[in-house]
Amino acid sequence: MVEDDNEDATRVLSTADLDNFNAAAAGKPVPVRAPAIPIELHVVSGPDRGKVHNLSEGSALVGRGLDCDIVLADPAVSRKHFRVVRTGDDVDAVDMGGANGTNVNGDRISRHNLTPGDQIEVGTTVLEFRIEGKVPNRSRNDFPQNDGTLHGHAAAAPAKAKSKLPLLIGLAAAGFIVLGGGGVAAWFVMSGGDDTEKVSGEGEDTPGIADLIKEAKGQIDDQEWAEAVDTLKKAKKASPSNSDVKGMLAKAEEELEASESIEEGKAQLKKKKFKAAIEHFEEVSNGSEQFSDAQDAIKEAKVDMATAYVGAARKALEAGKNKKAKALLTKVMKVDPKHAEAKLLLEQLAGGEAEGGDKAPAAGGKKDPAVKSGQSAKKLLARGLKAYHNREWSAAKSAFTAVAKGSFSKAERAKGGKYLAGSADVAAAFGTANTQANPLRQAKAWRKAYAADKRVDGHFGAMLIKRLTKAYVIAGKQLYKGGHYAKAAEAVREAMNYDPENAQAMKLEDQCVSQAAKLLSKAKAHMAKKNYATAQGLAREVMGVLPSMDPRAAEARNIAKKAAAADVAGDDD
């Protein structure tokens, strides 16, 4: 497991605290300061409604993750969703950059200076910002308030109560987002569509229109874009002027085109036609439900392109074709200017050219220039690390062995031995991962390589995180497709341990949570029918998918417990 970034675990020390500390250290009297004005976030909507969170000086992380300062039991909230930063009486809300986004008073923000009465919307949760003694701005009060007090201090009287209709519409939309899987479903809800209501426009009484719309929504929830388009075309034929059908059809056709672009891009990627693949992925607009998938695919295509070009460059170097190698490496640097391996090989090429241009770097490890008599441990280790970075495992082993078994200091020999063992484990893990078809086993191999690489110098760390995360996501998708939702969720959690904001992992996690809700309903139905064994199995599946703090997980545990007791009593199907 990777530890959280220091930034996430650090609490900001206020200026006042620092002054007090310095004064005490110098033996001076600590000044008496006025107590800080209470500033709070009140949860006015969502699973945690009614809770109050005090904001102290510094930074507080808000999200679904248990390591957050303010934890929200809302499955539609990101693990690390946004941050509130208090400096005196000044407070900013800062979005953490996740796919779900943070809204203040209905507007999406990246950073926003809060004023009393501002409402922060994340997932299905709304938090209101309050400062003691300051009148809240109620001009955008679309959500009902709770007790109207601030920890015993009277708050400003709320504005005249509005109709509950906006609340009902908002909650319906939010619920659809959680259970339906995202933006397209939300768009349908906000456009006014519903499974039971009549549709607007000509033919609103036409038999079957409501059923066709309901069928299309289900197909869209399952991302069956072609089927949704066909269904909506039937609805349009039956009711040509229906505005709801027209809007849904246009959106479904857009998603179908995006899906086709992504699939064509993947096909080009398999043929190693990287440029063509990237062009197809770039065809997906930022308004598409699949935009984040396309962006991830572009990143993966660039990584694959760089890997392929570096491999070709190394073969060219082994054959003495320095110009070809240089051209390939230059292409890699255009795609990824920070590519360490390409940069190192170019530097080696430049060094060879400076010496006459007739010597290529030792890419193939046929001759090992690392070990020469009379060299210091420092030079041998440096040469070994260069070979290690170039994946010249034999050359690296020779250099590290020379240090580990040479006439050097105890500390130097220990370092050589540590590097030798680490590089050997990395080489073995690379070999296993590259020949493994099972994505879960592949992910475990990349994880071993990541741990071993840290024992050397961490050179491959970023690349290995990408690869093991990708392998876990692929495994999760396969498990999800096979109906193994708990195992799929486990694979997703492993991926997000290394890359918490991975868009594909977050999306798959939401799909698993949506399935868990359906499984919970089935478990309840089987309990009612006294099918206890089936109910218990379904409840356990739900428990494997949902975080333990989710209220539905507690409900599933209760069902499993009751089902187990009833099963023991012999009352079962």
Side-chain angles (χ1 to χ4, degrees):
M1 301 293 177
V2 176
E3 294 182 0
D4 289 336
D5 293 340
N6 289 337
E7 180 187 359
D8 292 338
T10 302
R11 299 292 169 265
V12 177
L13 187 66
S14 71
T15 304
D17 291 337
L18 189 58
D19 290 344
N20 291 350
F21 178 83
N22 291 335
K28 298 178 180 179
V30 177
V32 178
R33 300 180 183 274
I37 296 175
I39 299 180
E40 299 168 342
L41 288 178
H42 286 233
V43 184
V44 298
S45 178
D48 298 300
R49 182 175 180 176
K51 290 187 178 180
V52 178
H53 300 281
N54 181 61
L55 301 180
S56 56
E57 188 78 13
S59 177
L61 187 62
V62 184
R64 195 175 77 246
L66 296 178
D67 56 341
C68 290
D69 304 285
I70 298 175
V71 178
L72 300 175
D74 184 344
V77 170
S78 298
R79 277 184 167 79
K80 298 177 182 178
H81 205 116
F82 73 99
R83 190 183 294 279
V84 281
V85 183
R86 176 178 179 179
T87 307
D89 296 341
D90 193 63
V91 181
D92 284 353
V94 183
D95 182 57
M96 296 299 290
N100 296 334
T102 301
N103 289 353
V104 175
N105 299 329
D107 297 323
R108 185 139 181 179
I109 60 102
S110 56
R111 188 180 188 101
H112 181 85
N113 184 251
L114 297 169
T115 58
D118 279 352
Q119 293 185 336
I120 306 168
E121 304 157 32
V122 288
T124 64
T125 297
V126 178
L127 307 98
E128 184 172 280
F129 177 71
R130 299 186 189 179
I131 300 179
E132 181 185 334
K134 294 191 178 181
V135 178
N137 176 13
R138 302 292 185 184
S139 60
R140 301 193 62 159
N141 182 22
D142 293 330
F143 289 85
Q145 308 307 310
N146 48 9
D147 59 2
T149 63
L150 187 63
H151 273 247
H153 302 281
K160 185 177 180 180
K162 295 185 179 181
S163 167
K164 292 186 179 180
L165 183 59
L167 169 62
L168 296 175
I169 294 175
L171 292 178
F176 212 120
I177 291 171
V178 176
L179 298 177
V184 175
W187 182 87
F188 290 140
V189 173
M190 296 307 291
S191 70
D194 184 70
D195 289 346
T196 57
E197 66 181 2
K198 291 183 179 180
V199 291
S200 61
E202 180 187 331
E204 63 182 13
D205 295 321
T206 303
I209 292 295
D211 290 338
L212 288 172
I213 290 176
K214 182 177 181 179
E215 181 182 354
K217 286 180 180 179
Q219 291 164 340
I220 287 166
D221 288 346
D222 295 332
Q223 297 187 353
E224 297 172 350
W225 310 116
E227 292 83 349
V229 168
D230 289 342
T231 302
L232 289 166
K233 282 182 176 179
K234 292 177 184 177
K236 185 180 178 183
K237 186 176 180 180
S239 181
S241 301
N242 188 295
S243 59
D244 291 336
V245 172
K246 285 182 180 178
M248 292 169 66
L249 178 58
K251 190 65 179 175
E253 286 176 335
E254 179 189 349
E255 295 301 333
L256 177 59
E257 289 179 7
S259 178
E260 290 173 346
S261 294
I262 291 174
E263 290 304 315
E264 183 59 32
K266 289 178 179 178
Q268 295 296 326
L269 203 55
K270 287 182 179 179
K271 299 176 184 177
K272 306 297 182 184
K273 296 182 178 180
F274 303 108
K275 187 177 179 181
I278 291 171
E279 287 175 354
H280 282 293
F281 295 141
E282 288 177 340
E283 290 174 357
V284 179
S285 69
N286 60 6
S288 169
E289 176 79 2
Q290 302 165 82
F291 178 70
S292 61
D293 291 343
Q295 293 301 302
D296 287 341
I298 290 171
K299 291 177 184 177
E300 291 174 11
K302 288 182 177 180
V303 170
D304 291 346
M305 179 193 291
T307 302
Y309 284 172
V310 169
R314 293 179 63 76
K315 289 182 180 179
L317 290 171
E318 290 173 9
K321 299 177 181 179
N322 291 10
K323 288 185 178 179
K324 181 179 179 180
K326 186 176 181 179
L328 288 166
L329 294 168
T330 302
K331 287 183 179 180
V332 174
M333 295 302 289
K334 286 182 180 178
V335 174
D336 183 3
K338 296 182 180 180
H339 198 285
E341 193 173 353
K343 187 177 181 181
L344 180 61
L345 288 174
L346 281 172
E347 288 173 356
Q348 290 178 330
L349 268 172
E353 290 172 357
E355 294 173 6
D358 58 347
K359 292 183 179 180
K366 294 179 181 179
K367 292 183 180 180
D368 181 17
V371 183
K372 294 181 180 179
S373 60
Q375 285 195 339
S376 67
K378 184 177 180 180
K379 285 188 176 180
L380 285 170
L381 289 172
R383 286 182 179 275
L385 286 172
K386 276 191 176 181
Y388 173 74
H389 295 166
N390 291 334
R391 304 185 201 183
E392 299 170 21
W393 311 122
S394 295
K397 180 181 177 181
S398 297
F400 296 147
T401 301
V403 176
K405 297 183 178 181
S407 301
F408 302 109
S409 70
K410 184 178 180 181
E412 288 170 335
R413 291 199 306 273
K415 195 170 188 178
K418 179 183 176 183
Y419 283 5
L420 177 62
S423 61
D425 289 344
V426 170
F430 264 70
T432 301
N434 286 324
T435 57
Q436 184 57 250
N438 185 299
L440 269 180
R441 292 176 183 172
Q442 190 179 64
K444 289 177 181 178
W446 289 129
R447 192 170 64 187
K448 287 181 180 178
Y450 177 77
D453 177 61
K454 289 203 293 186
R455 301 203 305 269
V456 185
D457 67 346
H459 174 78
F460 298 110
M463 179 269 283
L464 288 169
I465 284 177
K466 287 182 180 179
R467 291 193 178 183
L468 70 88
T469 300
K470 180 180 177 181
Y472 273 126
V473 169
I474 291 171
K477 287 181 178 179
Q478 290 180 358
L479 290 164
Y480 179 88
K481 191 174 181 180
H484 306 293
Y485 304 118
K487 291 182 178 179
E490 183 181 354
V492 167
R493 283 193 289 268
E494 286 288 348
M496 295 180 76
N497 281 331
Y498 292 92
D499 185 2
E501 298 300 328
N502 183 281
Q504 289 192 26
M506 291 169 68
K507 182 177 180 180
L508 184 56
E509 183 191 43
D510 289 341
Q511 291 174 337
C512 288
V513 170
S514 178
Q515 288 296 334
K518 294 177 183 178
L519 292 174
L520 183 59
S521 296
K522 289 181 179 179
K524 291 177 181 178
H526 281 287
M527 279 294 290
K529 295 176 183 178
K530 297 185 179 181
N531 298 332
Y532 299 118
T534 304
Q536 186 179 19
L538 290 167
R540 285 176 176 172
E541 185 83 349
V542 172
M543 290 159 58
V545 174
L546 297 175
S548 58
M549 63 178 290
D550 191 304
R552 291 171 297 183
E555 192 174 357
R557 284 193 294 273
N558 188 40
I559 290 174
K561 185 177 179 180
K562 288 182 177 179
D567 193 16
V568 169
D571 189 6
D572 191 11
D573 54 349

